[in-house]
Amino acid sequence: MAESKTAESIGATCIADVKAVLGEGPVWVEREGALYWVDIKGYKVFRYTVDGGALKTWSTPYRVCSLAPRADGAFIAGTEDGFSRVDLAEDRFIPLANPEPDRMTNRFNDGKLDRQGRFWAGTMDNDEKAATGALYRLDPDHKWHRVDDGYKVTNGPAFSPDGRLMYHNDSARQVTYLFDLDEAGQATRRRTFLQFGEGDGYPDGMTVDAEGCLWIAFWDGWCVRRFSPEGERLAELKLPVQRPTSCAFGGAGLDQLFVTSASIGLSDEEKAAQPQAGGLFLLNPGVRGLADVPFAG
């Protein structure tokens, strides 16, 4: 396994100072050579094109909380109203299914594609009080399945290179869970993979690199950290913002790490001390990520 570069040798560059309220959900779209991400509470979707650095912004009619590319060029999304089809080229946001009509204060949060192109997304109480969050799998036929329940703040998931393991966070409880995952998408044998405590920050969005190591952004932790498949901390990469929210590999060689962040909840003094809070950051960590399989539905 290659050794990661140290935080001091990498440096974090803010490449899109969008001042998001709650920047989240970075996803690399290879066909466009671009990174997409959302501002959940700012009702926005962003696209940053690496070749040339062009930034584009769309306003959304409701909270879009996570995006994943579809094979047809549009996106599948987790939103405050359930799953949606999002076609930014035509400015269309089409609700597909709401698995939680009875959980009125819930919204979707983070979401990712597994190695077979199924969309996994978690819900949470928007007020971050009740443990009413759940983890769902959306199949290409648009049938949804509730896989796990009882979360306070869902984040992730992320998947091992062979697709047989799934990681998922309950950020409020500072825990990263590990599941076994079979070819049919059945997640079993949930167990605690990592438990964090005082001073660590809160494990937020995450991704897996080509070596099978897990990268987690830490809310209130000022960093992203890399962990081996055995749970050993291998690297800690510092950021100039208190609330990193998620990370994704991208670039032509999938060797760049993009990190989103948030400014929500920061005092005026804290914002003055970290003026790029809510921005999109770029790191060059010395390892590569894995290409996504687009959602086929």
Side-chain angles (χ1 to χ4, degrees), residues 203-223:
D204 206 312
M206 54 188 172
T207 191
V208 170
D209 65 33
E211 297 175 359
C213 295
L214 183 65
W215 292 82
I216 307 176
F218 280 82
W219 177 280
D220 283 349
W222 301 81
C223 68

Side-chain angles (χ1 to χ4, degrees), residues 25-37 45-50 58 67-76 88 113 248-252 254 258 290-292 294:
V27 58
W28 175 251
V29 180
E30 184 178 5
R31 63 189 174 227
E32 299 180 34
L35 188 93
Y36 285 79
W37 74 107
V45 174
F46 303 105
R47 180 183 68 193
Y48 179 85
T49 306
V50 171
W58 291 265
L67 290 171
R70 297 168 58 110
D72 63 4
F75 292 88
I76 194 75
L88 295 171
L113 294 165
F249 284 94
L254 291 175
F258 297 90
L290 295 157
D292 282 332

Side-chain angles (χ1 to χ4, degrees), residues 109-246:
N109 198 38
D110 210 356
K112 296 286 178 63
L113 294 165
D114 68 14
R115 303 299 172 212
Q116 296 189 10
R118 296 169 295 219
F119 185 55
W120 295 74
T123 60
M124 58 174 283
D125 174 19
N126 189 55
D127 298 324
E128 300 184 27
K129 295 179 180 178
T132 54
L135 175 63
Y136 295 88
R137 187 188 79 238
L138 184 71
D139 292 337
D141 61 5
H142 290 179
K143 290 182 180 178
W144 57 264
H145 308 268
R146 186 176 294 167
V147 176
D148 202 13
D149 210 344
Y151 288 81
K152 287 189 174 182
V153 178
T154 57
N155 267 299
F159 303 89
S160 63
D162 62 8
R164 296 179 181 177
L165 298 172
M166 177 176 69
Y167 303 92
H168 193 228
N169 287 333
D170 190 330
S171 300
R173 295 186 171 111
Q174 293 182 284
V175 64
T176 300
Y177 295 116
L178 179 62
F179 295 79
D180 292 335
L181 191 64
D182 66 19
E183 290 187 2
Q186 300 299 314
T188 58
R189 212 166 68 85
R190 188 185 88 173
R191 63 269 194 196
T192 296
F193 177 66
L194 296 166
Q195 179 67 65
F196 303 99
E198 185 176 356
D200 290 329
Y202 298 85
D204 206 312
M206 54 188 172
T207 191
V208 170
D209 65 33
E211 297 175 359
C213 295
L214 183 65
W215 292 82
I216 307 176
F218 280 82
W219 177 280
D220 283 349
W222 301 81
C223 68
V224 293
R225 297 184 181 116
R226 185 190 192 214
F227 297 90
S228 74
E230 294 73 39
E232 177 188 1
R233 184 191 294 187
L234 301 176
E236 179 177 293
L237 311 184
K238 297 290 188 180
L239 290 154
V241 291
Q242 180 177 338
R243 293 182 169 168
T245 53
S246 191

Side-chain angles (χ1 to χ4, degrees), residues 32-60:
E32 299 180 34
L35 188 93
Y36 285 79
W37 74 107
V38 300
D39 183 350
I40 296 174
K41 298 201 172 183
Y43 293 80
K44 291 182 176 67
V45 174
F46 303 105
R47 180 183 68 193
Y48 179 85
T49 306
V50 171
D51 185 9
L55 177 68
K56 186 169 183 178
T57 305
W58 291 265
S59 296
T60 65

